[in-house]
Amino acid sequence: MDDKYKFIDFLGLRFNVANCLSALVVALLVFILVFALSRKVTMKPGKAQNVLEWMIDFTNSIVKSAFPGESGNRFSLYAFVLFLFIFISNQLGLILQVKVDGFTYLKSPTANPIVTMSLALVSLLLAHYYSVRKFGFGGYIANFARPVSFLTPVNLLEEFTNFLTLSLRLYGNIFAGEVLLALIGTVAKSFGAVSFVVAIPLEMIWQGFSVFIGAIQAYVFTTLSMVYISRKMTKE
Amino acid sequence: MAGILVLGAGKLALGDMLFILISFILLTWAVKHFAWGPVTKMMDARSDKITSDLDYADSERASAEKLKKEREDALKNSRAEAIEIVNKAKDNGDEQKKTIVSQAHSEAESVRQKAKSDAEKAKQDAMNEAQNDIANLSLEIASKVISKELNADDQKSLIDSYIKELTVNNETK
């Protein structure tokens, strides 16, 4: 879409106000949610604690399915935060989009490739870091020549495709969802009351579907992150 | 504050990456500190508790089963013991009965023996006494008879009776 953004140049770096603000809002929302749910932690869980434990069990099961045995336990927290962050990010743009004077200030942060690339970068950096830590730098390099040495270029290429597919899949899904939402919004405004009435159910349907897509994409992103980390930590 | 620029595209907003990385790391830290830590600790504690409770229940059940077995054994043993005691008592009673009966038999025998000998002795005594009495009586009679005058007829009949007696005795020999 022809969204316009405000940029701030600071210390030679360029900041997109919409992205930063949205990410901040999402981070705060995640924190508030988790904080509110974890107030009374007891041996016999109450309602709030049950919800939180259900979410933790959910992300833990993602981690468990990717890692053999107990080796993935140290990534449980990362998976939990990553999942919640992406999930809330995906939903934020469906509920709230703020535009002032044509400039977007608030939307889904994951509808921007820079944000999804940042998240994918975190996952893949973790994968490479733990691979080096486990096998040593020599072992880490040698792992690129597995299972046979002539596959080394493919393995190297795979690192880039992993990064791009991981980030762009999420970006594409959420961005497309928001584009369609905005399109339906313009339809609603085009012919006055008649089109407004027609557009409302369409918007509702698409919002519901986008909630579903957002949840699925958060799940996919978290699962793939864990799989990439796990694969870097095993010898093929 | 740097100047605010309005740009559609162009320079990559690398600052966003930095901002998101920092905010993500801060968020992770905050979540860990305020929620993840306590909750997972509690979850671990709960799973430990459940495991230990299950183990405890298992061991309790095992010990209860053992106790039950012991009790059953004891019950079985006590029954056998009771039977043994009763049998012993019965045997003892039989033996005692036998000895009492035999003792009674022998006693009765001795009493009978004694009574018999007593009777014999009494009889003997009575006979002796009677013999004496008869002797005395006959002596008295004889003296009385002798004191009476013996006439010829009497003498004759006396002699006859003697002779008769002698002949009877000879005939029988």
Side-chain angles (χ1 to χ4, degrees), chain B residues 30-164:
Chain B
V31 166
K32 183 179 182 180
H33 186 262
F34 287 103
W36 179 270
V39 171
T40 49
K41 206 171 141 196
M42 190 53 71
M43 285 164 87
D44 286 348
R46 188 183 307 134
S47 78
D48 282 355
K49 188 177 185 301
I50 288 168
T51 312
S52 69
D53 281 0
L54 283 178
D55 287 350
Y56 177 72
D58 275 352
S59 70
E60 281 295 288
R61 192 182 305 137
S63 72
E65 222 141 273
K66 204 176 139 204
L67 259 174
K68 192 181 155 206
K69 201 158 176 275
E70 272 172 17
R71 228 174 16 235
E72 265 168 21
D73 284 355
L75 199 67
K76 218 179 276 171
N77 280 352
S78 69
R79 194 166 296 156
E81 248 167 64
I83 288 171
E84 202 179 317
I85 287 168
V86 167
N87 281 345
K88 208 185 257 181
K90 219 184 267 179
D91 286 354
N92 277 351
D94 279 352
E95 211 169 298
Q96 223 161 347
K97 190 176 108 189
K98 243 178 243 172
T99 55
I100 287 168
V101 165
S102 65
Q103 220 171 330
H105 266 298
S106 64
E107 246 166 66
E109 188 70 21
S110 68
V111 165
R112 210 158 54 100
Q113 217 63 259
K114 207 178 163 213
K116 209 174 162 188
S117 67
D118 280 1
E120 205 106 317
K121 208 178 162 220
K123 195 177 148 197
Q124 201 73 37
D125 285 359
M127 288 271 273
N128 288 345
E129 220 166 298
Q131 222 167 350
N132 284 346
D133 283 357
I134 288 168
N136 287 345
L137 208 63
S138 54
L139 238 142
E140 228 167 286
I141 292 166
S143 67
K144 262 184 191 166
V145 168
I146 288 165
S147 68
K148 208 170 55 174
E149 275 175 273
L150 277 176
N151 52 31
D153 289 344
D154 290 339
Q155 225 162 354
K156 199 182 178 255
S157 67
L158 192 66
I159 289 162
D160 282 349
S161 73
Y162 270 122
I163 290 166
K164 211 183 223 175

Side-chain angles (χ1 to χ4, degrees), chain A residues 30-42:
Chain A
V30 170
F31 177 70
I32 289 166
L33 172 75
V34 168
F35 186 77
L37 289 178
S38 66
R39 278 315 79 204
K40 277 184 290 174
V41 177
T42 50

Side-chain angles (χ1 to χ4, degrees), chain A residues 34-226:
Chain A
V34 168
F35 186 77
L37 289 178
S38 66
R39 278 315 79 204
K40 277 184 290 174
V41 177
T42 50
M43 187 64 93
K44 287 176 188 159
K47 278 179 193 167
Q49 199 187 339
N50 261 333
V51 172
L52 188 60
E53 285 186 9
W54 174 73
M55 293 194 294
I56 289 174
D57 277 337
F58 177 71
T59 55
N60 278 357
S61 73
I62 294 175
V63 175
K64 265 209 183 71
S65 63
F67 286 90
E70 303 283 301
S71 59
N73 281 359
R74 70 182 106 170
F75 300 109
S76 299
L77 173 64
Y78 174 65
F80 178 68
V81 178
L82 189 67
F83 178 81
L84 277 187
F85 186 84
I86 294 173
F87 181 76
I88 302 282
S89 294
N90 295 349
Q91 311 307 335
L92 182 68
L94 302 177
I95 301 159
L96 194 65
Q97 296 202 14
V98 176
K99 272 187 194 179
V100 178
D101 295 332
F103 293 113
T104 306
Y105 285 102
L106 196 64
K107 53 163 192 109
S108 278
T110 41
N112 188 291
I114 292 287
V115 177
T116 58
M117 279 177 178
S118 309
L119 293 171
L121 200 65
V122 173
S123 285
L124 292 172
L125 280 178
L126 273 176
H128 288 269
Y129 170 72
Y130 276 100
S131 181
V132 171
R133 209 168 102 157
K134 185 168 178 187
F135 298 115
F137 191 71
Y140 162 74
I141 296 293
N143 271 352
F144 282 104
R146 285 176 211 281
V148 276
S149 56
F150 68 82
L151 281 177
T152 309
V154 178
N155 284 336
L156 282 172
L157 194 64
E158 199 188 11
E159 296 305 323
F160 293 100
T161 55
N162 278 351
F163 171 67
L164 284 176
T165 52
L166 189 61
S167 56
L168 294 184
R169 179 187 304 108
L170 178 61
Y171 156 68
N173 274 285
I174 306 309
F175 181 68
E178 291 205 344
V179 166
L180 199 55
L181 271 186
L183 269 178
I184 298 171
T186 45
V187 167
K189 286 184 278 184
S190 55
F191 296 106
V194 181
S195 58
F196 196 79
V197 171
V198 173
I200 277 185
L202 281 175
E203 187 89 342
M204 281 166 63
I205 290 165
W206 186 246
Q207 270 183 327
F209 191 58
S210 292
V211 168
F212 175 68
I213 288 177
I216 290 287
Q217 287 308 315
Y219 175 73
V220 166
F221 194 97
T222 311
T223 307
L224 282 177
S225 292
M226 290 303 126

Side-chain angles (χ1 to χ4, degrees), chain B residues 13-24:
Chain B
L14 286 175
D16 289 6
M17 273 193 169
L18 198 66
F19 187 87
I20 283 160
L21 282 179
I22 290 169
S23 58
F24 190 84

